[in-house]
Amino acid sequence: MLQGTYMMSQGFYGFWMILPFFWGLIGVGIIAVACIRELIQVARGHNHHK
Amino acid sequence: MMVALVASAWQGWIVLVGFGVILITISLLVARRFGTADVDGLVVAGRSLPFGLVAAAVFVAWVWTTTLLGAAEAGFWFGISGGLNYAWGAAFPFFIFIPLAMRMRRIMPRTTTFVEYMRERFSDNFAKVYILFGVALVFYVCVEQSVGLGYTLQYSFGMNYKLMAVLMSLLFASFIAIAGLRGSVYNSVFQFFVIAVVVFVAMPIILGKVGLTNAYEGMKDVAMNTANPNHNNEALNLFSFAGFRYGLVAFAVAIGQIILSQGYYSAALAAVNSRTLLKAYLVGTIFAWIPIPIIFGNVIGSGALSIKLDTEAAEVVRTGITPYIFSQYLGFGGVIMLAILVLMAGLTTGGNGLAGLQAIFSVDLFKKYIKRDATERQQTSFGKWMTLAGGILIGVLALVLEGKSLLNIDIFSGILFAAPCAPLVIGMYSKRLNVGLSAVAVLIGLVGGLIAYFTIENPDWNFFIGNVISLVAPFLIILVGLPFTKHEFDFDRLLNYVSEHRVVLHDPDEAAAIAGTTTDGGES
């Protein structure tokens, strides 16, 4: 190994490559569910306090 | 060397016309359903939006074309730390903005724009300076999107850059002019789903085709093999110093783009209450947005490094790293998916910027300085026409910039928009801050940043130091100067501020803080 070279292990590399997908899916999923619910409310005539 | 695939112009027109029709139709439906005759309805969606709509709008507004393409390049140049550093650098300013927006709602519940706040907190003349900064920021953001969209459509479909840059500017100007912030938000929801589907379908496929083991071995070779053309001994170091410095620059550039962007204040004020604002901004940024640049940095960076991508190869230079990788791993479908992704990212960011411009024109310019007795209908009409005029001007500026590097514009934008942040932020909390100290601090920060940029010869450091001085110096000058001022600002003045247009508050906490929940402005 070259001097001064730090390298993450293959296991951690795999974890770090996969993690953002689950992380992002949680965030996007929360927003998607809320949006769908709110759009259905609008379609039913609710105007969100207008 | 494999050749990157390019779709044909007629396929590009199908994509453009298809999405253009959908976006304009959404705006027309929103305008018909909710109306756009009152100022508050047009520029802050009647302060009544729920969590999901605000979160989706914040998420897509902050997904720039550079979030995708820039983070991917960071992954290539800095290795595994590139995406992470892009992500924290560009997201961290939101942790300053969120408490700022919540405080603004609490101390000045009836404000609509940050310019109104600057006018009441400091002075009319100082607010005019912030109008210039706010408008300049919108033009910078929107021109960048138009240029990015023009290039993307040119290299993906072989379409004419000039025509596309102008057409894209007119497209996002149109859907904002038709239905204001509410139109932008409902369009954002559609674009949110498109972006989410493309990212979470295309990127796992690319990662699967690259293969985790293959990607790791490729990265290990980059880190250990000095003969590797992309050798970087920190490629597998998540905490590399070069990557961290890149994150700091991303932070210094992003903070002004957020703190001085009326579009983000409009979205924050459009949330039905402060709790909704907090939840929407936190979920929209931490949970939904931050993983996107990390995914692009990780997957495209590793993918490109594992095939020993030659960045000087004509094909890569022509298209850029991300389009090249998309076409190599996903073929024709990848070209189309990336084009749609960039199209959505650019249109939403441009739309959010112009929604902010519309607010400044409708609220701060027309009635204040052009027609004192204007009705709300006249204000909104002026805002809509100015939005369209802004779209045309943005298109023209994008034409002028054809073939020119945007790097210098980015450098100046970072230095220019970081300096004015300090008075806006500190003025929210300190009653001792006055106009004189604020103006001196901004001026010194701006001039100091520019001097540092021009006098430091090392190109790796001049941009960084220039941005840091522009951002930090005004904060330090103000904090050091505060004990010496005798000024005592009365925050009740902001609490009792009555807007010149009709404002209806739906947040019981804000309504309780002031007498009555409804204020009638110039037109009741």
Side-chain angles (χ1 to χ4, degrees):
Chain A
M1 185 184 291
L2 291 171
Q3 196 170 16
T5 300
Y6 167 79
M7 294 197 304
M8 60 168 65
S9 67
Q10 189 169 355
F12 187 64
Y13 175 81
F15 169 75
W16 184 245
M17 294 295 278
I18 302 293
L19 175 73
F21 286 102
F22 289 103
W23 178 358
L25 277 173
I26 291 170
V28 165
I30 292 170
I31 298 174
V33 170
C35 279
I36 290 167
R37 214 180 53 214
E38 289 156 10
L39 289 176
I40 290 171
Q41 283 178 346
V42 171
R44 285 178 177 164
H46 179 67
N47 275 5
H48 295 303
H49 290 285
K50 184 185 183 283
Chain B
M1 169 71 63
M2 289 184 281
V3 175
L5 293 167
V6 176
S8 62
W10 68 266
Q11 287 161 327
W13 278 109
I14 290 175
V15 171
L16 271 190
V17 171
F19 281 104
V21 166
I22 291 170
L23 296 175
I24 296 290
T25 305
I26 291 173
S27 284
L28 289 170
L29 289 173
V30 168
R32 202 174 67 173
R33 169 71 185 273
F34 296 97
T36 55
D38 66 301
V39 173
D40 236 39
L42 183 74
V43 302
V44 284
R47 299 171 201 260
S48 60
L49 293 180
F51 159 74
L53 301 187
V54 180
V58 170
F59 168 81
V60 297
W62 201 225
V63 176
W64 288 35
T65 49
T66 45
T67 308
L68 313 170
L69 311 184
E73 291 197 9
F76 181 77
W77 296 116
F78 300 107
I80 197 71
S81 70
L84 175 67
N85 280 300
Y86 183 98
W88 82 256
F92 196 74
F94 276 105
F95 303 114
I96 297 169
F97 176 82
I98 295 168
L100 202 66
M102 292 179 73
R103 173 124 181 112
M104 186 183 272
R105 285 181 69 128
R106 196 164 74 240
I107 64 173
M108 194 174 177
R110 293 163 181 142
T111 191
T112 308
T113 66
F114 74 91
V115 177
E116 275 181 298
Y117 156 76
M118 293 303 289
R119 185 181 300 116
E120 294 302 311
R121 174 62 185 83
F122 294 98
S123 73
D124 192 42
N125 282 336
F126 203 49
K128 283 177 188 162
V129 175
Y130 277 75
I131 290 179
L132 286 179
F133 279 121
V135 171
L137 178 69
V138 171
F139 276 97
Y140 155 68
V141 170
C142 291
V143 168
E144 282 242 318
Q145 306 312 311
S146 297
V147 170
L149 289 169
Y151 282 137
T152 301
L153 294 168
Q154 186 182 41
Y155 63 58
S156 297
F157 300 109
M159 299 168 97
N160 182 280
Y161 168 86
K162 288 186 173 70
L163 181 62
M164 289 305 111
V166 173
L167 209 58
M168 291 303 99
S169 312
L170 288 177
L171 180 56
F172 59 68
S174 302
F175 67 69
I176 298 303
I178 292 170
L181 182 77
R182 209 190 295 265
S184 164
V185 168
Y186 278 87
N187 270 322
S188 294
V189 173
F190 168 72
Q191 289 154 325
F192 162 81
F193 281 105
V194 175
I195 290 172
V197 167
V198 174
V199 169
F200 290 101
V201 169
M203 299 307 276
I205 295 176
I206 293 178
L207 183 58
K209 289 196 173 180
V210 174
L212 273 175
T213 307
N214 186 36
Y216 182 74
E217 291 303 322
M219 295 287 276
K220 209 161 87 175
D221 191 66
V222 170
M224 295 177 68
N225 180 6
T226 50
N228 188 306
N230 304 308
H231 173 63
N232 167 14
N233 64 0
E234 291 197 301
L236 277 170
N237 182 1
L238 200 52
F239 306 102
S240 88
F241 176 72
F244 180 70
R245 194 180 62 184
Y246 176 78
L248 283 177
V249 172
F251 168 74
V253 170
I255 188 162
Q257 292 169 352
I258 294 171
I259 301 284
L260 293 180
S261 171
Q262 177 54 37
Y264 291 109
Y265 290 97
S266 297
L269 295 170
V272 67
N273 56 47
S274 287
R275 230 178 43 204
T276 301
L277 182 174
L278 177 65
K279 216 167 71 172
Y281 269 76
L282 285 181
V283 173
T285 54
I286 294 178
F287 289 98
W289 185 86
I290 285 180
I292 303 296
I294 298 179
I295 288 171
F296 269 77
N298 283 1
V299 176
I300 303 294
S302 290
L305 287 171
S306 68
I307 58 168
K308 293 190 174 74
L309 185 75
D310 176 8
T311 51
E312 288 174 13
E315 199 60 31
V316 181
V317 170
R318 191 180 67 76
T319 62
I321 294 172
T322 311
Y324 185 83
I325 294 295
F326 263 71
S327 72
Q328 291 306 308
Y329 286 103
L330 299 176
F332 178 75
V335 176
I336 300 284
M337 276 199 273
L338 183 65
I340 290 172
L341 194 58
V342 173
L343 187 65
M344 294 297 103
L347 289 178
T348 50
T349 307
N352 178 268
L354 275 184
L357 189 77
Q358 192 174 52
I360 291 174
F361 276 125
S362 304
V363 175
D364 295 302
L365 273 177
F366 190 56
K367 194 157 182 172
K368 279 278 173 204
Y369 305 113
I370 297 173
K371 193 171 178 356
R372 287 295 306 160
D373 61 345
T375 62
E376 289 209 26
R377 188 174 286 277
Q378 288 171 323
Q379 277 180 277
T380 54
S381 174
F382 178 79
K384 290 176 184 180
W385 282 110
M386 289 311 290
T387 304
L388 278 179
I392 293 169
L393 186 57
I394 287 161
V396 171
L397 289 171
L399 291 186
V400 173
L401 289 172
E402 184 186 8
K404 294 192 174 66
S405 164
L406 294 180
L407 190 62
N408 284 333
I409 300 173
D410 283 335
I411 288 167
F412 286 114
S413 86
I415 295 173
L416 181 67
F417 298 122
C421 292
L424 199 156
V425 175
I426 298 174
M428 291 251 184
Y429 300 93
S430 167
K431 60 185 177 185
R432 299 182 74 98
L433 183 58
N434 59 22
V435 182
L437 180 60
S438 300
V440 168
V442 171
L443 199 64
I444 290 177
L446 195 56
V447 173
L450 290 173
I451 288 174
Y453 174 68
F454 285 113
T455 53
I456 296 171
E457 287 181 0
N458 187 334
D460 288 337
W461 284 99
N462 59 5
F463 173 37
F464 176 71
I465 301 285
N467 269 284
V468 169
I469 288 177
S470 175
L471 175 65
V472 176
F475 275 97
L476 289 179
I477 291 166
I478 288 175
L479 291 175
V480 169
L482 274 183
F484 302 101
T485 67
K486 292 179 179 149
H487 187 65
E488 286 228 352
F489 180 74
D490 178 12
F491 276 101
D492 280 350
R493 189 174 151 188
L494 301 181
L495 193 64
N496 297 320
Y497 172 73
V498 178
S499 172
E500 294 199 32
H501 65 269
R502 188 169 179 273
V503 171
V504 179
L505 301 174
H506 301 292
D507 188 336
D509 294 336
E510 288 164 3
I514 53 177
T517 55
T518 304
T519 67
D520 291 325
E523 180 198 15
S524 56

